[in-house]
Amino acid sequence: MSAPAEGTRAIEVQDLHKHFGDHKVLNGIDFHVDAGEVVCVIGPSGSGKSTLLRCVNRLEQPTSGTVLVEGVDVTSPETDLNKIRSRIGMVFQQFNLFPHMSVLRNLTIAQQRVLKRNRGEADGIARANLERVGLGDRADAYPAQLSGGQQQRVAIARALSMEPDMMLFDEPTSALDPELVGDVLDVMRSLASEGMTMMVVTHEMGFAREVGDKLVFMDEGIIIEEGAPRDVLSSPQHQRTQAFLSKVL
Amino acid sequence: MTKANRQRLRDAVLYALLLGVVVLLAFAADWPVIQENFLNQEVLRTLWPEIITVAAKNTIVYTAISFAGGLVLGVVLALMKLSPVTPYRWLATAWIEFFRGLPALVVIIGFALAVPIAFNWQPPGGLVGAGVLALVIVSSAYMAETIRSGIQAVPPGQVEAAHSLGMSGSWTMVSVVLPQAFRIIIPPLTNEFVLLLKDTSLLAIVGAATDDRELTTFGRDSVSENFNSSPLLAVALLYLVITLPLTRLVAYLEKRSMVKAR
Ligand SMILES: Nc1ncnc2c1ncn2[C@@H]1O[C@H](COP(=O)(O)OP(=O)(O)OP(=O)(O)O)[C@@H](O)[C@H]1O
Ligand SMILES: [Mg+2]
């Protein structure tokens, strides 16, 4: 399969199970993200949000079930995993920038190694993406010289430099000092308004309400409830959702 | 008596004792004999300039080859030890345990004398070449463990980030993991370099040709030629000139990495 057919979903998860030994973390997840959609995932700690996200680009190997990305089964051994991954940007809670490389090199290394872009082209794309996250002047800095918020914006720019079709965010603001959260959310907000397909695990209910097209509530490895963020947040149907929201809102 | 006074008294006794021993040695020692045998200017003059241009140079060259070879082989062994393929892990473990368990001298004798006789093998670079090969292998076994620990000290998030960008396992290893691993293990590797430099003295056992002699072989030969021990002192001083700055460097690097880790 080459270009995704019209109507193919960006991400489609069917009956996904993930066990770590005896520990059953995901217990039958059915779920999808359409192209251009922003889906936010919330739920208590340990409910399997990160695991679900990591199954999408197969950083975690599902125990059973299907994960389709643009119609391609990522769990199939025939799939070119690296190619699929290069089309899925991922942003981690702990940034995971490469500390031994300059900001610019962080953004160009995978462009050159994976997409085989030449140095000049990769540099141009990297600089444009640094501008986009408001860090055009920090290309030559090293990650350790940046604040957490700046590092996370560099991490977003690094993912964007691959020109991915979709972005996965795993609690991108949870490791940040409160005053630095806003800048990162602003970048994500503008990405969403540009039509980027996004799956965002977050505790930022304000962001979910304002930016999300869909909100998914998970607990104990299953999806308890999903719907328009406004509806789920203001009138949760399920008792477990109510209990969770009453704690965090 | 107060505690401070008791302490002062004890210090005074210790210093007096030390002074006594020094004075006794100074009187007992036969200074002319010491000067004649260990600081003999005529003998020392004959060493120049070969002690630098041949002996010290060879010591450094042999150390550099053993270190570089050991490092390359050590990386391969470390990767084998971390491989998901079980026989690779066994092979690496066997190699590492075998060569770390043997005295380096035994391995050198094995490569320079035993193996060539048994298999009618002409080692490249002669007997010294075989000896250096033995040092490469011994150091690879030590360095493999150091490198493996360095690789494992790189946070898993680094590998995940590289994978999430679509980078293959080998690119991730080369561009992301190894550069960080080496940064972590610079102090132990520098230490390994010092140990290796001293271990090149074991090559004295193979009896190198005149121009292939390293410091210890050179010193030993001069001692027996001149029937005088002065060359040994010169050799010892040269070793210290090289090793002391390096051990200071290791101490500095360790202190710095400790500060950084905080
Ligand atoms: N590699 C692993 N091996 C064993 N158990 C794991 C592993 N990764 C995650 N788990 C377990 O799976 C469960 C779900 O983890 P996960 O990280 O998906 O939760 P989460 O919803 O993201 O929580 P949080 O909000 O704290 O990030 C946890 O109990 C965790 O201990
Ligand atoms: Mg998580």
Side-chain angles (χ1 to χ4, degrees):
Chain A
M1 189 178 296
S2 53
E6 195 67 31
T8 304
R9 293 192 149 136
I11 301 169
E12 172 110 47
V13 174
Q14 295 161 349
D15 195 27
L16 181 67
H17 292 255
K18 174 65 187 176
H19 305 170
F20 291 106
D22 293 340
H23 189 15
K24 297 183 174 165
V25 175
L26 298 181
N27 302 302
I29 301 268
D30 288 283
F31 160 87
H32 66 263
V33 181
D34 285 326
E37 216 180 16
V38 176
V39 174
C40 295
V41 182
I42 60 170
S45 181
S47 57
K49 307 179 298 291
S50 299
T51 307
L52 171 61
L53 203 68
R54 293 156 57 83
C55 281
V56 171
N57 65 354
R58 228 179 86 189
L59 284 183
E60 224 57 90
Q61 174 77 47
T63 306
S64 69
T66 316
V67 178
L68 303 173
V69 171
E70 294 175 336
V72 179
D73 184 357
V74 300
T75 57
S76 151
E78 275 108 75
T79 301
D80 183 348
L81 189 59
N82 293 330
K83 195 173 159 202
I84 290 269
R85 281 172 172 167
S86 72
R87 300 220 300 267
I88 310 172
M90 185 157 190
V91 176
F92 301 85
Q93 185 174 349
Q94 298 297 339
F95 330 134
N96 295 349
L97 292 178
F98 305 132
H100 58 299
M101 298 179 189
S102 70
V103 164
L104 188 69
R105 192 73 187 125
N106 265 278
L107 270 62
T108 57
I109 179 100
Q111 291 189 62
Q112 291 181 251
R113 301 274 190 265
V114 180
L115 304 178
K116 310 291 174 205
R117 287 177 182 154
N118 65 40
R119 186 69 189 256
E121 193 188 356
D123 269 11
I125 292 169
R127 288 185 190 279
N129 279 301
L130 282 177
E131 288 295 341
R132 197 167 167 186
V133 301
L135 293 169
D137 54 341
R138 305 312 304 271
D140 298 322
Y142 278 79
Q145 299 167 321
L146 304 178
S147 74
Q150 291 175 327
Q151 289 190 49
Q152 193 60 299
R153 279 143 67 199
V154 170
I156 294 173
R158 176 174 69 178
L160 290 176
S161 295
M162 302 297 284
E163 300 181 325
D165 297 340
M166 64 195 76
M167 294 276 287
L168 310 177
F169 293 85
D170 191 358
E171 300 194 31
T173 58
S174 293
L176 300 179
D177 292 337
E179 72 272 19
L180 302 175
V181 169
D183 290 340
V184 173
L185 290 183
D186 283 344
V187 169
M188 292 170 63
R189 206 172 279 129
S190 77
L191 259 184
S193 70
E194 289 163 27
M196 175 62 81
T197 308
M198 293 163 63
M199 181 172 167
V200 186
V201 175
T202 186
H203 291 303
E204 296 289 333
M205 298 304 161
F207 177 85
R209 184 196 303 268
E210 182 199 337
V211 181
D213 297 305
K214 188 163 81 178
L215 185 63
V216 173
F217 173 70
M218 275 181 76
D219 196 9
E220 296 182 351
I222 52 174
I223 292 177
I224 305 287
E225 181 166 352
E226 63 176 283
R230 229 165 283 274
D231 298 343
V232 176
L233 291 175
S234 53
S235 53
Q237 299 301 306
H238 202 283
Q239 183 252 325
R240 269 201 267 180
T241 322
Q242 291 162 3
F244 174 74
L245 289 176
S246 71
K247 260 183 255 161
V248 297
L249 284 180
Chain B
M1 218 182 333
T2 66
K3 203 174 165 196
N5 274 339
R6 256 205 317 269
Q7 173 114 33
R8 239 171 259 148
L9 185 66
R10 204 183 60 202
D11 284 357
V13 170
L14 287 177
Y15 277 111
L17 211 61
L18 182 65
L19 192 70
V21 171
V22 169
V23 168
L24 202 68
L25 276 180
F27 276 105
D30 195 339
W31 286 110
V33 171
I34 288 177
Q35 182 141 19
E36 167 65 22
N37 279 290
F38 288 95
L39 299 164
N40 189 316
Q41 305 237 344
E42 269 161 58
V43 174
L44 286 175
R45 233 172 268 131
T46 65
L47 304 178
W48 191 263
E50 283 79 11
I51 191 168
I52 302 288
T53 58
V54 175
K57 186 206 84 183
N58 279 336
T59 288
I60 289 172
V61 168
Y62 298 157
T63 308
I65 295 173
S66 310
F67 186 78
L71 201 62
V72 172
L73 206 53
V75 169
V76 174
L77 286 165
L79 292 178
M80 283 171 70
K81 195 132 194 216
L82 295 170
S83 161
V85 185
T86 312
Y88 279 167
R89 286 202 304 274
W90 285 346
L91 217 65
T93 306
W95 179 286
I96 291 166
E97 297 303 326
F98 185 77
F99 287 109
R100 285 205 312 180
L102 292 178
L105 188 55
V106 170
V107 182
I108 290 173
I109 294 172
F111 272 83
L113 308 173
V115 177
I117 291 171
F119 298 104
N120 195 17
W121 172 59
Q122 290 282 330
L127 292 183
V128 174
V132 171
L133 184 64
L135 285 179
V136 165
I137 285 168
V138 170
S139 66
S140 78
Y142 283 95
M143 285 199 246
E145 283 296 274
T146 309
I147 295 165
R148 183 183 59 83
S149 71
I151 290 174
Q152 288 181 320
V154 176
Q158 291 291 309
V159 174
E160 292 181 352
H163 283 172
S164 77
L165 291 162
M167 284 169 73
S168 65
S170 25
W171 272 128
T172 301
M173 187 50 78
V174 169
S175 304
V176 175
V177 177
L178 285 180
Q180 294 186 61
F182 275 111
R183 230 154 273 217
I184 296 168
I185 58 172
I186 284 173
L189 280 187
T190 314
N191 203 30
E192 178 63 26
F193 188 89
V194 174
L195 293 177
L196 207 47
L197 186 120
K198 290 188 289 180
D199 277 355
T200 55
S201 68
L202 298 172
L203 295 172
I205 198 74
V206 304
T210 315
D211 289 339
D212 293 342
R213 292 178 301 175
E214 45 66 59
L215 271 174
T216 302
T217 318
F218 181 88
R220 183 199 55 192
D221 289 357
S222 312
V223 167
S224 46
E225 274 160 28
N226 294 294
F227 211 68
N228 183 289
S229 298
S230 303
L232 201 61
L233 199 73
V235 162
L237 274 176
L238 274 174
Y239 274 119
L240 290 173
V241 164
I242 308 171
T243 56
L244 283 183
L246 283 172
T247 48
R248 296 318 306 154
L249 183 68
V250 174
Y252 166 76
L253 290 173
E254 271 169 358
K255 210 169 116 197
R256 203 185 57 166
S257 69
M258 228 131 84
V259 171
K260 256 185 158 175
R262 253 187 260 142

